[in-house]
Amino acid sequence: MGSSWLCFSLTFLLVLHGTFAQQRYQQQQGQCQLNRLNPQEPTVLIKAEAGVTELWDHNNQQFQCAGVSLIRHVIKSRGMLLPSYLNTPLLAYVEQGRGFYGILNSGCPETFQSSQQFQQGERGAGSRFQDRHQRIGQFRQGDIIAFPAGAAHWAYNEGNEELVLVVFEDSGNNANQLDQTSRRFFIAGNPQQGEQKQGQQGTHGLRKEQFQSGNVFSGFESELLAEAFGVDIETARKLQGQNDMRGHIVNIEQGLRVVRPPFSQEQEEREERQEQGQYGPRMNGIEETICSAKVRQNIDNPARADVYNPQAGRFTTVNSFSLPILSFLRLSAARGVLYKNSIMAPHWMTNAHSIIYITKGEARIQIVDHRGQAVLDDRVRRGQVVIVPQNYAVVKHTENEPCEWVAFNTNDNAMLNTLSGRTSAIRGLPVDVIANSYQISRDEARRLKFNREETLIFRASGRSSSSESVAAA
């Protein structure tokens, strides 16, 4: 009985996974006939009172192939990104700065509570006011934050420097029941007109409109809103943002006063130690629910590296095993660092598209398609994006300066296969198969198979004597 139930469960999971994969395929069928890939930069700049938002051209064929969108928020100190929700799940990478955020799910408890003394003139001196709201999380540079589709969220920059958030939106996800365009629904403010960058071409349609129109309340009648909230007409009109010209990122002059627990470096280090002691996801519905699910993980810490070579660089992943909510979003991410004169082995992603955003330096990137043709051979620098379709082979090479990047993947457990190195496809072949496949001698086949002892990242010049080590999980 037990084995039959296990067999049924595994079969059901495979069918379910295949259904999701088929849905993404049907949405993107015919979109991945790519003869040439190019590094992409933002084409539209949307200004607001306390920052700007940059949009990559969603209609570009490369983004259409992957079924994804990318935007970048630059938020000034004490600036707040107004609450909104999307029809797609998203991952945000904190490229710079720190702050805090909220994710709003109807039905989740208001676990953050406090009572405050009113100031003179507010409801009478000496009266008290109790504030309650859903939990707030803090973030810092290097964090990946996961936001489910349809969950309203906001973010605030509490630091003294600009906050830079790189936001990846997966419109090809099974959670999206609309079309292939990610749509942002603001529930506050009145986003203003944007400015298109000079010298860039691209039509954004709905993606541009989402930052240039009113919030969802603006379409309702003021009288109906007043009745729904139990407030007067004037308050209802303010809810609609009719005269709000601040845009989608607003300035909080006195700083944002919200109920949140203190957060120290010691607590951060304690969390990291606890995470490193966890093996596998906790998914039985008791320890973690959608209301209390952990949605943030830092991938900049070298101690968390999955692959590490002290001479060449490191590679860190976050997936459904290390951040269980990603199994619900069906997304994952990775962080790569290549030192000078280093190579990330030629490889391909077996089950995901990969969207690579360069955060520092530059690297030469080559991508090869199923026809054996190089569809990209270019130097990609900071701020540029490269789309690597599923199964396309890719290699990264640095020369005189290092390169760092973050990659967003369209699978919660994106799998990487290498073409060179200790765990590569070539290493798994018998020597005779290699010799006859490439018309080389057995000695040459042995050298081809065994020369590289590293797994993924190695020095470009000479034979590295040091092998990579896997960091403790």
Side-chain angles (χ1 to χ4, degrees), residues 108 165 202 380:
C108 288
L165 299 175
V380 186

Side-chain angles (χ1 to χ4, degrees), residues 166-212:
V166 181
V167 180
F168 167 77
E169 304 167 352
D170 183 19
S171 56
N173 196 281
N174 65 289
N176 175 25
Q177 300 297 306
L178 298 176
D179 52 27
Q180 280 288 85
T181 301
S182 63
R183 305 176 188 226
R184 184 177 296 269
F185 299 78
F186 280 94
I187 59 177
N190 184 21
Q192 301 176 62
Q193 294 295 315
E195 296 182 6
Q196 186 159 338
K197 286 190 171 182
Q198 298 296 322
Q200 299 288 342
Q201 299 296 325
T203 56
H204 288 257
L206 289 173
R207 275 180 51 76
K208 189 175 179 181
E209 288 179 9
Q210 63 187 268
F211 296 99
Q212 299 177 324

Side-chain angles (χ1 to χ4, degrees), residues 410-443:
T410 59
N411 192 294
D412 60 289
N413 189 22
M415 300 178 66
L416 184 151
N417 278 3
T418 54
L419 288 163
S420 66
R422 192 174 70 247
T423 58
S424 67
I426 297 297
R427 188 68 172 258
L429 293 173
V431 169
D432 269 13
V433 172
I434 296 175
N436 285 280
S437 295
Y438 300 108
Q439 300 184 73
I440 57 178
S441 68
R442 287 176 57 86
D443 287 341

Side-chain angles (χ1 to χ4, degrees), residues 275-347:
E275 288 165 6
Q276 291 173 12
Q278 294 175 0
Y279 294 89
R282 302 172 300 169
M283 301 176 64
N284 63 7
I286 297 176
E287 295 94 341
E288 194 168 71
T289 68
I290 193 65
C291 295
S292 61
K294 185 177 188 288
V295 299
R296 178 188 64 86
Q297 181 164 308
N298 193 278
I299 57 174
D300 270 9
N301 189 341
R304 289 183 175 174
D306 298 302
V307 175
Y308 176 63
N309 183 330
Q311 279 74 46
R314 64 181 186 271
F315 190 73
T316 308
T317 60
V318 54
N319 53 33
S320 57
F321 292 97
S322 57
L323 191 62
I325 195 174
L326 293 180
S327 64
F328 177 62
L329 273 62
R330 304 190 65 80
L331 299 174
S332 60
R335 177 82 164 126
V337 176
L338 273 183
Y339 303 153
K340 295 179 182 179
N341 301 314
S342 299
I343 293 178
M344 184 172 181
H347 62 275

Side-chain angles (χ1 to χ4, degrees), residues 241-277:
Q242 293 180 359
N243 298 314
D244 189 345
M245 301 303 293
R246 298 174 298 170
H248 62 290
I249 305 173
V250 302
N251 183 47
I252 314 293
E253 291 185 4
Q254 302 301 321
L256 198 63
R257 294 178 292 179
V258 297
V259 181
R260 60 191 178 104
F263 195 74
S264 65
Q265 184 65 31
E266 181 180 351
Q267 287 174 306
E268 178 74 13
E269 293 172 355
R270 188 186 305 118
E271 284 186 11
E272 291 178 359
R273 290 194 296 270
Q274 290 173 348
E275 288 165 6
Q276 291 173 12

Side-chain angles (χ1 to χ4, degrees), residues 36-41 60 62 375-376 378 380 385-387:
R36 183 68 182 171
L37 299 176
N38 297 292
Q40 299 295 307
E41 296 183 2
N60 180 278
Q62 297 170 61
V375 291
L376 174 69
D378 204 348
V380 186
V385 170
V386 170
I387 312 291

